[in-house]
Amino acid sequence: MPPLSILDLSVVTSATKPATALRNSIDLARHADRLGYVRYWLAEHHNLSSVASPSPDLMIGQIAAVTERIRVGSGGVMLPNHAPLVVAERFKMLEALFPGRIDLGLGRAPGTDRATSYALRQRLLDRDGDDFLERLQELMLWETREFPAGHPFNNVVAMPDDTPLPPIWLLGSSDYSAQLSAQVGMGFAFAHHFASYDAVEALTHYRRHFQPSRWCATPRGILAIAVIVADTDEEAERLASSADLNRLRRDRGQYLPLPSPEEALAYPYTENERAAVTRNRSRLFVGSPATVLHKIQPLMSASEADEVMVITAVFDHEARKRSYSLLADAFGLAKAA
């Protein structure tokens, strides 16, 4: 079995306020550390009432401070929202404080709507189009110090200058992301849980075309999937009803807190809505440990993923912890830890 990791959105529910969701993330990270999960990543989203954390770097420091073994990182920092120097400084600081335990995952999207994106970037230089590659190159240059002769940044040092950047991962949900990750020679994490592009094609293309670099000598591919596990298939389905309604609402642009199973099960679905829920289930693996393993094994094998990263969004915090415990047992993590 491949190693297991966690992607956490600090999910806000109709009964869990954002501040509590953040504390739940810290509690879940401690739990994952004890279970033997490899890494724990925090996402960056803005202006979403369903996601409590807009600043993964702040959460990384809090979580790394209260865990012992697990790697902690961003899944990811949305680079369009930040000056590359700021990202370099913050993650070099984290690496200095928690050496060998930090990951820097980078995303190409702003992680929010257009108005919020403008509010995040309005003090930066105005640029048209996608400038992710330019920002990525600048971030790498803060580490390599290979700015052209005479460039003003040659007189600027990203502190602490005795600490390297942590390992860089590129995040994506498309063929372009796979191609770019392979070309620049970095780790690649594919977001199967919301991608429309085929995960197997993306990860196998990345592996076939990977070019070794100073950042990564060999390909490292992570398959990120949405999973809900319970002791029985019936209980898992009950828990997953919250995710079904939440996804239906998100597809309509309604980013509400995660509803309870009771609210979801009472929702009067139309025939078309039920068809949409069925389609969305292709991105969500639900069931008992044996059922979920049976469902995800073909995808893990075909994609040749080096690691599986799991996102579990359920209404009850203890049920979420239980889901990760059951999955850890199914993968043999508890014994390995």
Side-chain angles (χ1 to χ4, degrees):
M1 288 290 189
L4 272 182
S5 296
I6 291 176
L7 172 62
D8 181 23
L9 300 183
S10 300
V11 175
V12 180
T13 77
S14 58
T16 305
K17 300 299 183 183
T20 301
L22 294 175
R23 289 191 287 271
N24 284 345
S25 289
I26 295 174
D27 180 61
L28 178 61
R30 288 196 186 103
H31 184 62
D33 194 31
R34 293 190 292 266
L35 290 173
Y37 281 82
V38 173
R39 63 187 92 238
Y40 194 98
W41 283 5
L42 292 306
E44 174 187 343
H45 290 285
H46 302 271
N47 193 33
L48 293 181
S49 59
S50 57
V51 179
S53 174
S55 304
D57 52 330
L58 294 179
M59 288 297 291
I60 289 168
Q62 293 293 316
I63 287 174
V66 298
T67 52
E68 299 178 358
R69 177 202 53 81
I70 197 167
R71 297 188 65 93
V72 191
S74 56
V77 166
M78 299 294 104
L79 195 54
N81 300 335
H82 308 281
L85 174 58
V86 173
V87 176
E89 290 177 330
R90 291 178 180 177
F91 277 81
K92 285 163 73 73
M93 280 187 63
L94 288 167
E95 180 66 22
L97 293 169
F98 309 101
R101 291 186 55 208
I102 304 300
D103 294 321
L104 173 52
L106 300 172
R108 292 173 52 224
T112 189
D113 58 88
R114 289 178 62 87
T116 309
S117 177
Y118 178 78
L120 288 165
R121 303 182 62 186
Q122 63 177 330
R123 301 301 180 191
L124 304 179
L125 294 175
D126 290 330
R127 300 174 183 175
D128 295 328
D130 184 351
D131 62 354
F132 176 80
L133 281 178
E134 181 181 348
R135 289 170 179 267
L136 178 62
Q137 182 182 37
E138 183 182 324
L139 177 63
M140 292 188 290
L141 288 172
W142 287 118
E143 180 71 8
T144 64
R145 306 301 308 161
E146 295 174 350
F147 288 104
H151 196 287
F153 289 175
N154 278 320
N155 298 319
V156 181
V157 177
M159 295 294 288
D161 63 352
D162 63 340
T163 303
L165 279 174
I168 299 177
W169 297 77
L170 298 188
L171 318 182
S173 58
S174 67
D175 55 342
Y176 174 78
S177 301
Q179 294 164 8
L180 177 61
S181 301
Q183 182 179 347
V184 299
M186 292 180 176
F188 175 50
F190 184 81
H192 172 272
H193 55 290
F194 66 79
S196 56
Y197 192 76
D198 181 62
V200 173
E201 176 62 28
L203 285 165
T204 54
H205 176 95
Y206 163 73
R207 186 172 299 280
R208 288 196 305 267
H209 296 87
F210 180 84
Q211 300 179 23
S213 71
R214 66 172 291 156
W215 311 102
C216 192
T218 58
R220 296 179 297 169
I222 293 178
L223 172 66
I225 58 176
V227 176
I228 295 175
V229 185
D231 291 281
T232 65
D233 289 345
E234 292 75 18
E235 175 60 13
E237 287 292 336
R238 188 186 74 84
L239 296 174
S241 64
S242 298
D244 291 336
L245 180 56
N246 188 59
R247 181 55 188 261
L248 184 66
R249 288 171 169 173
R250 291 188 61 160
D251 289 345
R252 296 171 174 171
Q254 301 172 357
Y255 293 90
L256 302 175
L258 189 72
S260 68
E262 290 74 21
E263 179 184 352
L265 291 170
Y267 181 84
Y269 286 97
T270 67
E271 184 176 340
N272 287 339
E273 288 173 336
R274 291 192 182 281
V277 167
T278 299
R279 289 194 299 271
N280 290 333
R281 277 298 187 95
S282 65
R283 302 187 187 97
L284 177 61
F285 300 95
V286 179
S288 66
T291 297
V292 166
L293 277 184
H294 177 74
K295 290 179 178 179
I296 65 177
Q297 186 65 59
L299 181 60
M300 292 191 301
S301 299
S303 66
E304 302 177 27
D306 298 294
E307 187 176 319
V308 174
M309 181 169 282
V310 177
I311 175 171
T312 298
V314 295
F315 183 78
D316 181 72
H317 179 58
E318 291 303 317
R320 182 163 66 144
K321 291 171 65 176
R322 177 64 175 166
S323 179
Y324 282 118
S325 295
L326 292 170
L327 196 62
D329 288 342
F331 273 69
L333 296 194
K335 183 178 180 179

